[in-house]
Amino acid sequence: MFEKNYIELFQENRALVERGSSGVMNALRDRALESLKTYGLPSKKLEEYLHTDVSAWFEPDWGMNLARLDMPVDMAQAFRCNVPNLSTLMYFLANDSYAESHSASRVLPDGVIAGSLKEISDSNPELVSEYYGRLADLDKTGTAAFNTLFAQDGFMVYVPDGVCVEKPLQLVTLLQSKVDLLVNRRILVVLGRGAQLKMLLCDHALSANSFLSTQVIEVFAGQDSRFELYDLEETHTRNHRVSELYIRQEAGSWVHADSITLNNGSTRNSSFVTLAGRGASLSLNGAAIADSSQHVDNLTFVDHREPDCTSSELFKYVLDGQSTGAFAGKVLVRPGSQRTVSQQTNRNICLTRQARMFTQPQLEIYADDVKCSHGSTVGQLDDNAMFYMRQRGISEKEARMLLMLAFVAEVIGMVELDALRDRLTRLVEKRFRGELSQCEGCRACR
Amino acid sequence: MKETDTDNSLVREISAEKYRYGFTTDVHTDVIDRGLTEDTVRLISERKGEPDWMLEFRLKAFRHWLTMEMPTWPHLTIPEIDYQNISYYADPTVKKQGPKSVDEIDPQVMKTFDKLGIPLEERLALSGGVAVDAVMDSVSVKTTFKQTLAEKGIIFCSMGEAVRNHPDLIRRYLGSVVNYRDNFFAALNSAVFSDGSFVYIPKGVRCPMELSTYFRINASGTGQFERTLIVADDDSYVSYLEGCTAPMRDENQLHAAIVEIVVLDRAEVKYSTVQNWYPGDENGKGGVYNFVTKRGLLKGVDSKLSWTQVETGSAITWKYPSCVLQGDGSQGEFYSVALTNNWQQADTGTKMIHLGRNTKSTIISKGISAGHSQNSYRGLVRVAEKADGARNYSQCDSLLLGDECGAHTFPYMDIKNETAVVEHEATTSKISEDQLFYCNQRGIPMEQAIGLIVNGYAKEVLSKLPMEFAVEAQRLLAVSLENTTG
């Protein structure tokens, strides 16, 4: 409905957009434009967007930094790492531009390329064009087309065959602006055969303006590769985020992807995973803690295309205040994908009368030798457990907190990085205590 | 691996089992011309000798239907239906008035129901047996035990008769649960519906026998659009059974019915269906399209409605027997076994709408897919803002027999009250090799072993059926599976 304005904006400023980007990225803009014209932005009319009217988020007159004006953010000053004891290879995206930081010296193993997507696609166009835009589905209604149309830069990491990046890679995205801003981030991850990488994405909003960020992450997990992704959102109530994660897993690959929404405004995360090789294994998890009028919507689609693949999903929501949560998870087992094992669990707690949860697991199975299950519950904190703790002199507030913490701990416990797991546990506790009203560690709330 | 290959080859041996009810009856049937216009609706109303208000009801629905489009959201592939190429009224009794005694029914019609195992002569029924309303095509040919039931104040008759004899009740309740605007097929049915059953159980009465309606499509080129309404007044109880069959034909026949149930204070209704419409042949040719809207309104406090369905027939099944839990403390239950074989498709499940306080619902759904069939469970559990203390438990299991069929689950949960406890579980798997091995080891051949395991799998639902039906349902499951599995 509002796409028309954006299409006009693009047509008027095409030269400007392309000047601030690379040839590889510009090559896809015609297709993206056609797709946006055909399918538009997703509204509540679509079943997948029934509970999140993403198209309405595009209605305000957002500022867009198409001219790539310098928007200075002093990274080291503005942001201190929220995860101490976790020595990471740190990279920054300021709004939607790649920003070199001074905070960490980065020594990468041989052959590993990491940095600005624009710069890498300028210097290494063959490599980038082989992967860029290959997974993001432009032939459907979604925000991938919008992102592909406007994205000018982003982050890319390439790990060649057999290389293991020991240190976790941390990409911090910072939103800071004097005006309400729409940003389009693009992230590309390519893992060669047997490559290994751990990646932490931290999404922060530093200034109190309204933001709308579209994010498209494409992940190619080569044969027998191992990839861990932790996507942590710590923004504020005036932030809108629509993120699409696309993962393609080759034979024998192992991927663990977590999305954790600690603090947000309105969030829509969609994950599309294709298990394209025999014996691939996926663990896809999420936790969301929401109160006031926050809104979190996670959609997952796991496509089992080959035999012997495994997928497990666990999503947990704690909803307080007038917050709303939505979860839709679909598992498709294609013909011939025998011996598939797939499990999906979604558990939710509504703490108040106004909090609302919509959950919709789906199984679509076309192979017979499979073990697939899904489970979904919506409930409250266990009265018996509360009583047990009260009996032992624990205050009601504390007992509630402990129960909520234990509830979320199942997801946090799956985080493979020890330091991050500890830190997340603390952050979640602070969040439940109401001490984490803004992202921690940034100058804005220090 | 070898074992699996043998399994698959057996799976591919598609059932040659003949559909037992596939015969046709040569009976003089008065069929109106094909096509659907306002005149058709007027003609149906006129044939049935209906009052003006009923005609108005139909016309309103028809005009609304014209503005609607057939929905496309189900997980079904439905060939285009030409609504102008169906005859909407077929009367095998020909007589203007309903028959006065058994003797007046065409002997061919009697024979048909005898052959289907539905005795229309009360003396032939088992003692304390079942009262039957037998509906062939668009007309109810006979309702048994009417007199016995009338002594208790129970009304059990065809819908046509009810419109004439009990207009107050019909005007009060018809369309009160399923409005004509509800969906495409509800509008169509409201415009052209023909006989179904009307049941009224007065206050405090426990219906002494099972009530049953047997639906039979006989004439070709027709559809069946029956309408059933059950009203259970305060503190009453009734168990109602529904059975259905159709002849084997190459054409697809449309069956679009509405069942409305109103349950008042502390009343209980059990509604059981064994659906065995003609499913089409092994190549997917022919068969009945079964697009039905079934809904119960649990209006009274502590009222209870239990849907039990065994779905083995129909080329395409598309229905969601639902409960609107309006009265405080009301309880809804849904037990379903849906078996699809060959090229059958099913998209079935339930909706539990919790509106009152302390309402409870249970959903147990067992899907079994074989051959090239597609079997989907689709269910909605909605807890409204004021439904404090609502509780739901859903379990949907799917069993896959063969590698070319599909099993799908689409549960929706829509929770607007924090005191609600809602649980959903679903599993999909094939028959365990261990169980089969165990049976084989003890000399039980493969086919019987599968029948045994499937019956065990469906037992939770079958045990909810009245006894006569449970036996029939078990047999049906076995027959529907015959020669299909390895």
Side-chain angles (χ1 to χ4, degrees):
Chain A
M1 170 180 186
F2 311 109
E3 46 272 5
K4 209 170 143 252
N5 301 346
Y6 288 96
I7 289 168
E8 282 170 18
L9 177 79
F10 175 77
Q11 283 164 336
E12 283 162 20
N13 295 285
R14 182 166 189 151
L16 196 64
V17 172
E18 296 195 339
R19 197 163 61 228
S21 189
S22 68
V24 177
M25 295 178 81
N26 292 340
L28 278 182
R29 291 191 211 276
D30 278 329
R31 240 193 93 205
L33 182 64
E34 281 316 303
S35 169
L36 189 62
K37 279 181 186 168
T38 312
Y39 301 103
L41 289 163
S43 71
K44 280 191 167 184
K45 282 182 190 157
L46 291 171
E47 188 166 345
E48 299 86 33
Y49 290 84
L50 198 61
H51 304 294
T52 309
D53 194 356
V54 169
S55 73
W57 297 352
F58 288 82
E59 184 185 1
D61 189 11
W62 296 101
M64 282 171 94
N65 186 11
L66 299 180
R68 310 316 280 168
L69 299 171
D70 200 17
M71 299 177 82
V73 183
D74 187 344
M75 304 300 157
Q77 279 302 307
F79 181 83
R80 131 173 100 68
C81 174
N82 226 338
V83 189
N85 309 322
L86 180 69
S87 156
T88 60
L89 303 160
M90 199 181 282
Y91 295 85
F92 289 96
L93 282 177
N95 299 323
D96 44 15
S97 314
Y98 178 75
E100 263 302 319
S101 109
H102 309 282
S103 60
S105 61
R106 298 182 292 244
V107 183
L108 294 169
D110 279 351
V112 175
I113 304 170
S116 156
L117 176 63
K118 172 183 174 290
E119 282 162 29
I120 297 173
S121 50
D122 276 336
S123 61
N124 210 336
E126 298 81 24
L127 175 73
V128 180
S129 61
E130 199 182 328
Y131 298 103
Y132 179 77
R134 301 284 168 187
L135 289 184
D137 189 358
L138 298 183
D139 294 322
K140 65 162 195 240
T141 311
T143 46
F146 185 92
N147 183 285
T148 309
L149 188 65
F150 283 105
Q152 291 166 289
D153 195 4
F155 180 77
M156 174 174 177
V157 52
Y158 169 75
V159 186
D161 291 354
V163 174
C164 168
V165 183
E166 294 279 353
K167 258 192 184 184
L169 190 149
Q170 184 176 14
L171 178 66
V172 181
T173 59
L174 298 171
L175 295 169
Q176 188 169 35
S177 161
K178 290 192 175 94
V179 293
D180 293 350
L181 195 67
L182 193 167
V183 302
N184 300 293
R185 288 194 294 265
R186 192 80 182 203
I187 297 164
L188 181 60
V189 179
V190 181
L191 272 72
R193 184 183 284 234
Q196 293 187 25
L197 178 71
K198 304 180 186 86
M199 190 164 173
L200 170 62
L201 294 177
C202 299
D203 190 6
H204 296 269
L206 298 185
S207 59
N209 300 80
S210 293
F211 292 100
L212 167 60
S213 44
T214 75
Q215 173 173 282
V216 172
I217 308 176
E218 292 174 287
V219 178
F220 293 82
Q223 196 179 325
D224 299 319
S225 61
R226 277 180 74 89
F227 179 58
E228 288 170 47
L229 177 71
Y230 305 98
D231 187 352
L232 179 65
E233 182 180 355
E234 270 188 87
T235 58
H236 56 57
T237 50
R238 285 171 304 283
N239 189 64
H240 300 80
R241 162 183 150 126
V242 45
S243 170
E244 293 189 12
L245 167 67
Y246 295 86
I247 302 178
R248 182 184 166 89
Q249 289 188 242
E250 300 302 334
S253 60
W254 178 93
V255 170
H256 178 112
D258 283 2
S259 68
I260 293 162
T261 311
L262 271 186
N263 227 322
N264 73 323
S266 297
T267 297
R268 159 67 179 225
N269 294 323
S270 313
S271 308
F272 306 92
V273 185
T274 305
L275 298 164
R278 196 177 265 261
S281 170
L282 166 75
S283 167
L284 189 63
N285 310 296
I289 301 165
D291 57 18
S292 59
S293 58
Q294 291 169 339
H295 175 81
V296 185
D297 181 354
N298 278 295
L299 174 135
T300 68
F301 176 60
V302 179
D303 185 357
H304 282 263
R305 289 195 184 174
E306 290 290 327
D308 301 306
C309 293
T310 313
S311 68
S312 81
E313 290 178 66
L314 175 65
F315 281 81
K316 288 196 157 190
Y317 288 61
V318 178
L319 303 171
D320 204 346
Q322 293 110 47
S323 62
T324 46
F327 172 79
K330 182 166 171 178
V331 175
L332 171 66
V333 180
R334 293 194 189 247
S337 306
Q338 299 297 16
R339 297 170 300 283
T340 288
V341 178
S342 165
Q343 197 188 2
Q344 184 191 72
T345 310
N346 169 230
R347 302 210 184 286
N348 312 290
I349 288 185
C350 292
L351 295 170
T352 65
R353 180 166 286 259
Q354 291 80 27
R356 285 187 187 172
M357 182 66 208
F358 306 94
T359 168
Q360 195 202 332
Q362 295 186 18
L363 283 173
E364 213 177 308
I365 296 168
Y366 299 92
D368 65 333
D369 190 1
V370 298
K371 278 185 200 152
C372 297
S373 68
H374 62 207
S376 179
T377 58
V378 179
Q380 306 82 48
L381 298 175
D382 182 0
D383 283 341
N384 289 330
M386 279 291 283
F387 179 70
Y388 181 88
M389 281 190 280
R390 294 298 312 278
Q391 221 182 10
R392 274 148 187 81
I394 299 170
S395 73
E396 191 181 337
K397 199 179 158 203
E398 194 68 17
R400 278 169 74 93
M401 222 265 323
L402 280 172
L403 279 178
M404 290 192 283
L405 206 58
F407 180 77
V408 182
E410 199 184 344
V411 178
I412 308 292
M414 296 176 103
V415 171
E416 305 251 336
L417 299 173
D418 293 346
L420 178 65
R421 190 171 54 240
D422 294 348
R423 182 65 187 170
L424 275 175
T425 309
R426 247 203 81 203
L427 281 176
V428 168
E429 188 180 334
K430 283 182 103 168
R431 175 69 175 79
F432 281 133
R433 287 187 195 283
E435 293 168 12
L436 196 68
S437 57
Q438 255 271 4
C439 63
E440 210 197 42
C442 69
R443 189 160 53 181
C445 43
R446 225 186 291 159
Chain B
M1 266 327 274
K2 206 161 186 189
E3 177 80 8
T4 319
D5 288 346
T6 329
D7 286 357
N8 289 345
S9 70
L10 275 167
V11 167
R12 279 181 214 110
E13 282 178 27
I14 303 300
S15 169
E17 161 74 11
K18 281 209 180 102
Y19 180 67
R20 200 171 121 185
Y21 309 99
F23 61 88
T24 50
T25 309
D26 186 19
V27 55
H28 175 70
T29 306
D30 184 16
V31 183
I32 65 167
D33 290 341
R34 292 179 188 219
L36 181 54
T37 60
E38 219 169 279
D39 289 342
T40 320
V41 177
R42 286 176 194 280
L43 184 63
I44 294 171
S45 188
E46 192 194 308
R47 288 280 172 107
K48 295 177 72 68
E50 287 176 350
D52 288 348
W53 57 266
M54 198 67 245
L55 176 64
E56 270 316 302
F57 178 95
R58 287 174 182 276
L59 289 175
K60 230 172 18 184
F62 177 70
R63 285 169 198 147
H64 185 67
W65 180 74
L66 290 176
T67 66
M68 299 177 91
E69 274 177 31
M70 185 152 144
T72 53
W73 49 262
H75 195 88
L76 300 169
T77 313
I78 306 171
E80 201 173 326
I81 298 172
D82 182 358
Y83 292 95
Q84 298 304 335
N85 195 25
I86 298 173
S87 170
Y88 289 84
Y89 191 78
D91 182 355
T93 63
V94 191
K95 295 183 186 76
K96 289 269 188 269
Q97 301 293 318
K100 297 278 184 306
S101 81
V102 176
D103 302 334
E104 287 182 47
I105 301 173
D106 189 317
Q108 283 297 329
V109 175
M110 284 290 282
K111 245 165 104 181
T112 307
F113 282 95
D114 272 352
K115 212 165 157 186
L116 294 168
I118 313 294
L120 294 187
E121 292 175 66
E122 292 176 11
R123 64 186 164 78
L124 294 181
L126 296 167
S127 56
V130 181
V132 181
D133 181 19
V135 178
M136 195 191 234
D137 296 324
S138 308
V139 173
S140 165
V141 294
K142 164 84 182 168
T143 312
T144 62
F145 290 106
K146 254 159 91 173
Q147 208 46 48
T148 321
L149 292 167
E151 282 162 21
K152 290 211 160 223
I154 296 168
I155 303 169
F156 179 44
C157 61
S158 72
M159 187 54 91
E161 210 179 317
V163 170
R164 290 191 297 273
N165 300 339
H166 309 283
D168 295 348
L169 284 170
I170 299 294
R171 287 185 86 159
R172 186 159 164 201
Y173 291 111
L174 190 74
S176 69
V177 186
V178 181
N179 189 282
Y180 67 90
R181 293 171 173 272
D182 192 84
N183 65 63
F184 183 81
F185 294 104
L188 177 64
N189 176 289
S190 300
V192 303
F193 72 86
S194 43
D195 271 352
S197 304
F198 172 67
V199 177
Y200 175 78
I201 315 287
K203 281 185 185 162
V205 172
R206 202 180 155 85
C207 186
M209 58 177 82
E210 312 266 356
L211 303 185
S212 153
T213 304
Y214 197 89
F215 294 102
R216 172 78 181 169
I217 298 179
N218 187 56
S220 75
T222 61
Q224 194 173 50
F225 305 91
E226 92 267 2
R227 183 126 189 168
T228 294
L229 173 62
I230 300 175
V231 180
D233 216 325
D234 300 353
D235 302 292
S236 64
Y237 167 85
V238 63
S239 166
Y240 181 92
L241 322 172
E242 178 198 74
C244 29
T245 55
M248 289 160 74
R249 292 190 201 282
D250 284 351
E251 60 175 3
N252 292 110
Q253 286 188 287
L254 178 62
H255 172 250
I258 292 183
V259 175
E260 293 178 282
I261 302 179
V262 180
V263 195
L264 300 175
D265 288 354
R266 296 168 299 281
E268 181 177 349
V269 176
K270 258 180 90 126
Y271 192 105
S272 315
T273 308
V274 173
Q275 188 263 100
N276 190 23
W277 292 114
Y278 177 53
D281 68 6
E282 63 271 30
N283 299 313
K285 197 159 188 212
V288 172
Y289 294 161
N290 187 32
F291 303 158
V292 179
T293 310
K294 290 184 171 183
R295 193 173 304 152
L297 174 62
L298 291 93
K299 215 169 172 177
V301 295
D302 297 325
S303 52
K304 191 173 170 187
L305 171 60
S306 175
W307 294 102
T308 307
Q309 60 170 22
V310 176
E311 303 279 322
T312 57
S314 297
I316 306 177
T317 301
W318 184 7
K319 69 166 189 177
Y320 314 97
S322 311
C323 297
V324 180
L325 301 147
Q326 194 184 72
D328 291 349
S330 55
Q331 286 181 46
E333 290 174 353
F334 174 77
Y335 298 95
S336 165
V337 174
L339 187 151
T340 53
N341 195 359
N342 296 324
W343 296 90
Q344 278 177 275
Q345 303 176 62
D347 192 321
T348 182
T350 185
K351 291 191 266 187
M352 294 289 176
I353 318 285
H354 292 257
L355 301 176
R357 287 162 207 271
N358 300 319
T359 46
K360 290 187 179 65
S361 61
T362 308
I363 300 171
I364 308 284
S365 164
K366 308 269 180 183
I368 302 157
S369 342
H372 294 83
S373 68
Q374 300 296 332
N375 197 335
S376 311
Y377 167 83
R378 188 184 301 274
L380 167 71
V381 176
R382 174 172 291 155
V383 179
E385 278 166 57
K386 289 179 181 159
D388 287 347
R391 185 82 177 81
N392 162 269
Y393 175 74
S394 315
Q395 191 190 334
C396 318
D397 297 327
S398 308
L399 201 57
L400 289 151
L401 309 170
D403 55 3
E404 286 169 87
C405 51
H408 322 291
T409 46
F410 307 101
Y412 297 70
M413 289 156 80
D414 183 350
I415 315 301
K416 293 179 180 161
N417 182 300
E418 97 285 8
T419 61
V421 178
V422 178
E423 291 173 88
H424 172 89
E425 278 177 48
T427 60
T428 303
S429 57
K430 68 173 198 169
I431 287 187
S432 134
E433 305 261 324
D434 293 351
Q435 286 176 355
L436 284 176
F437 180 68
Y438 183 89
C439 292
N440 289 165
Q441 219 184 11
R442 274 149 188 81
I444 302 170
M446 192 58 104
E447 207 159 84
Q448 274 182 32
I450 288 176
L452 202 66
I453 294 166
V454 167
N455 261 310
Y457 166 80
K459 201 174 172 186
E460 211 175 337
V461 174
L462 297 183
S463 67
K464 299 284 171 187
L465 285 172
M467 217 221 336
E468 298 86 343
F469 257 37
V471 176
E472 174 73 5
Q474 267 188 27
R475 202 194 57 78
L476 258 179
L477 281 183
V479 165
S480 306
L481 282 170
E482 230 159 69
N483 293 337
T484 61
T485 50

